[in-house]
């Protein structure tokens, strides 16, 4: 479930990122039926499967060729993902090195 901030759908100035309602009369804080739910610890995912991708591996964000070499010993548990702000030239170097190391 995605939790939106109270009244974020009514006012432009109120952003949707969650903030706990603190008003004394707030129906969201008082957990009334029909009002948006508040996040709580019970919504957390299983510790064993947290951060796992569907293939059973964890994501490791790579910024340069040196980072790819860190994965050499951990290629059974981590998978490389190239960061969004890496240039095309660096990307090709990273992909080439990852192919050599089979990471």
């Amino acid at each position: 479930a995605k939790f939106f901030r109270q009244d974020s759908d009514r006012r432009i100035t109120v952003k949707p990122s969650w903030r706990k309602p603190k008003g004394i009369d707030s129906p969201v804080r008082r957990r009334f039926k029909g009002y948006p739910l508040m996040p709580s610890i019970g919504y957390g995912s299983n510790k064993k499967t947290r951060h796992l991708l569907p293939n059973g591996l964890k994501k490791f964000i790579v910024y340069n060729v040196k980072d790819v070499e860190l994965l050499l010993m951990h290629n059974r548990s981590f998978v490389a993902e190239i960061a969004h702000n890496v240039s095309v030239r660096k990307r090709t170097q990273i992909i080439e090195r990852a192919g050599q190391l089979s990471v």
Side-chain angles (χ1 to χ4, degrees):
K2 182 111 168 79
F3 300 100
F4 295 111
R5 187 174 176 181
Q6 183 182 10
D7 288 346
S8 65
D9 57 334
R10 298 182 195 186
R11 298 161 203 267
I12 300 166
T13 54
V14 178
K15 302 286 180 280
S17 60
W18 175 254
R19 296 290 182 275
K20 187 174 169 66
K22 297 194 171 75
I24 55 168
D25 293 328
S26 168
V28 176
R29 183 190 60 77
R30 291 158 74 186
R31 299 198 172 104
F32 284 2
K33 189 167 79 176
Y35 282 90
L37 297 169
M38 288 203 295
S40 64
I41 199 66
Y43 288 103
S45 59
N46 188 336
K47 243 183 190 176
K48 292 189 181 89
T49 59
R50 194 178 296 160
H51 306 301
L52 287 184
L53 299 171
N55 63 5
L57 299 172
K58 290 182 178 175
K59 210 185 281 184
F60 180 79
I61 296 172
V62 171
Y63 295 93
N64 52 44
V65 178
K66 213 173 183 182
D67 287 350
V68 175
E69 284 156 16
L70 290 172
L71 288 173
L72 190 57
M73 302 300 287
H74 304 285
N75 62 352
R76 292 241 185 274
S77 53
F78 286 93
V79 65
E81 182 182 286
I82 300 172
H84 77 100
N85 55 353
V86 175
S87 66
V88 174
R89 188 181 59 167
K90 274 265 174 65
R91 266 173 205 273
T92 51
Q93 292 172 5
I94 291 170
I95 292 166
E96 186 184 315
R97 187 69 178 133
Q100 290 168 359
L101 300 172
S102 67
V103 177

